[in-house]
Every structure is written in structure tokens, then in C-alpha cells.
Amino acid sequence: MLTTTLLPLLLASLPTLTSATTSSKRGLVYVPSKNANEAKDDQIWISGSSDLTWYYNYGASPSAVFNGHLNFVPMLWGAPASNTDMTFYNTVKGLIDSGVNISYVLAFNEPDGASNGGSNVPADTAAATWIRELEPLRKLGVKLGAPAVTGAPTGFNWLQNFFTACAGNCTADFIPVHWYGNFEGLASHIGQVRGTYPNMTVWVTEYADASVSLQASQSFANQSSAYFDRIDYITHYSYFGSFRSSASNVGPNAAMLNQDGKLTDIGSWYLGGAATGVVPKGSGASAAGRPLAWGALLAGVVALVGLL
Ligand SMILES: *[C@@H]1O[C@H](CO)[C@@H](O)[C@H](O)[C@H]1NC(C)=O
Ligand SMILES: *[C@@H]1O[C@H](CO)[C@@H](O)[C@H](O)[C@H]1NC(C)=O
Ligand SMILES: *[C@@H]1O[C@H](CO)[C@@H](O)[C@H](O)[C@H]1NC(C)=O
Ligand SMILES: *[C@@H]1O[C@H](CO)[C@@H](O)[C@H](O)[C@H]1NC(C)=O
């Protein structure tokens, strides 16, 4: 049903070619390495050839290594335990007061999910937190990202419940999208988000075609970048892969770094550079971490509808 109505939109929006490009929309989902001896990996994202402009790290405070290089976007990851907690607001206000350029904040990482990094926040708790800590930031001129739900159908339900609980008191300026699956599914999903929230620009803040072949991973990365660059209402995007293939929970082939911290083709293309020929190797054990089942399912439905 859903996919039938979206199919014409989807087909009309498929890019026809890919090219080596740079883009001011492109940013970094920064996932710091747990191993101190891999800290040098951080430099890659701000090296001479990188044209990334912004990043987020799932937290309220900047990662010092990027100071002066990338614009920081703070995130209120989950809801604080206390309903009077103002830590996030105070932290961001403190950054602004000290001269840090904070134009945007993100809120609630996958609140509709508890696994794979989801913050699992009830919609009414999120609404109360938003009204308390985020609306005052908006008064300071900061643009607010709607809660960053998963790409699963539960995401739409959760967001609807959230805005209902807000009773008109939450204003989001843009809407983040997460997607794990193939390109057709991604484009279809973004079309549905835009159809549901036509007044918000879209940020794609996590995406990858997880656990597929290297060739498919590369085609996906190229196609999605070209698509995002072409669509005006998509203003920011950040590929989920700024880690070593051996640590990847979206499959080794999606990663921007190989097991030794060298840029893969996908990583180099993402930074605006040329292919490196570096082929990522994975542990094999970590290939199936993200919530892929429904993404693959939806993509399957799209493919099926396409055959009818
Ligand atoms: C991806 O894009 C780069 C840069 O244009 C190109 O060299 C490469 O062949 C493309 N690869 C795939 C698999 O599409
Ligand atoms: C602050 O950053 C935004 C983008 O995030 C940019 O458009 C703006 O020009 C910056 N302002 C200053 C004063 O650097
Ligand atoms: C929304 O704002 C109105 C007007 O200030 C207020 O009466 C109402 O209680 C608020 N609702 C929530 C859920 O905060
Ligand atoms: C979108 O904006 C238009 C024009 O500003 C307004 O009439 C409409 O009600 C808005 N729609 C939503 C869903 O907010």
C-alpha cells in the first residue's frame, strides 16, 4: 500500500549517473574508537583532502580533535532521569556563550528503539524534555532537529505520538532520517518522511546499506550521495561508517576505514577524493548488528511492487 503510492516518486528520483563530487552538505557521524592506539584515525576526517563541514558525536560536548575544523552539532541523546534536569540546555548555552558557533542541535537518538544504540524514550517524556530543554535553545536562534527515529514503521508512530504529546509546543526546524537498507528503500523512505512532514528540511544522519557485497556497498554510497546532493530539501547528510571495518556493526564492506585505519574507496569518495583500492576486511562476527530485517523487507516489497 504504502510503497505502491510512493513508487512513482521513487522512480522519478533515481539518479542516472554518479561522479566524484564534494558537497557542503556532507558531515561526519563521529563514532570514537575505543582503542587509544587508533586515535590517529580521527585525523583522517580533517586531513587536507577532506571537505566535511560538520559533525555530531551523539553528545552535548564537542570532540576537541575537530575544534576549528568542523562545525559541531550537539545531540541530546536520550531523556535525563530527572524531569527538572537542564544539563543539556546549560551545556549548549555554555558553548554558545563561550563563542562556539552552534547553529543546530539534534535530539533523541532512535527513541523508538532500545537495541543497537536506541535511546528508548517514551514519546510523552521526550515531549516534556523538549519543551524544557530544547525550546529555550530555539529562542537563542538554534535550529532544532526533530527526534531522530529509526527508519522502521515504529518511527512514524513514535513521532506522531511525540507531536501529539507536545500539543503544539514543540517546533522542529528539520527532520533527521536514519536508514539501513538499499538505495530504493532509502529514497522511498525519504519520500514518505517528506510527505508526512512537508515543512521540514531533511537531514540524513545515519545511513548505510548494511552487510551487503563490497560492490553493492559502493554503488549505494555513490548513488545516495548523488541523490542527496541533487535534492534541495535534503540539507545535511552523514554516512554511518566512520570506523574500522573490523569494528563495524553494519558489516565490514560499508565502513569508511579498513581494519588498519586506512580509507576505503567509500571513505575516500565520501571525503571528495579518489578511490584508494583499499579493500576492507571484517571480523565476520559483527556483520549483522543493526536492525536490518525490516529494511530488507521493505526493499523486498518495493522490488515486488515494481514487478506488478
Ligand atoms: C563511485 O564513484 C566514484 C567517483 O565518481 C567512481 O570512480 C566509482 O567508479 C564509483 N563506483 C561505483 C561502484 O559506483
Ligand atoms: C556558523 O555555522 C553556520 C553553519 O553551521 C554557518 O552558516 C555560519 O556562517 C557560521 N557563523 C559564523 C559566525 O561563523
Ligand atoms: C502548551 O502551551 C500552552 C500555552 O502556553 C499550555 O497551556 C499547555 O499546557 C502546553 N502544553 C504542554 C503539553 O506543555
Ligand atoms: C506548512 O506551511 C504552510 C505555509 O507556511 C502552512 O500553510 C501549512 O499549514 C504548513 N503545514 C504543516 C503540516 O505544518
Side-chain angles (χ1 to χ4, degrees), residues 177-196:
V177 165
H178 288 187
W179 182 260
Y180 293 93
N182 67 16
F183 176 76
E184 288 73 16
L186 170 72
S188 172
H189 181 65
I190 290 173
Q192 192 188 0
V193 170
R194 179 71 175 176
T196 309

Side-chain angles (χ1 to χ4, degrees), residues 287-298:
R290 296 288 315 186
L292 311 173
W294 61 267
L297 185 67
L298 178 58

Side-chain angles (χ1 to χ4, degrees), residues 56-61 72-78 88 92 104-110 134 146-148 176 178 205-206:
Y56 77 103
N57 59 13
Y58 298 97
S61 299
F72 177 55
V73 180
M75 174 182 246
L76 174 58
W77 182 82
F88 182 78
V92 176
Y104 310 99
V105 300
L106 295 165
F108 305 114
N109 188 61
E110 303 196 343
L134 296 191
H178 288 187
T205 51
E206 278 190 21

Side-chain angles (χ1 to χ4, degrees), residues 124 127-128 131 163-170:
D124 55 349
I131 291 166
F163 282 115
T164 300
C166 286
N169 298 337
C170 306

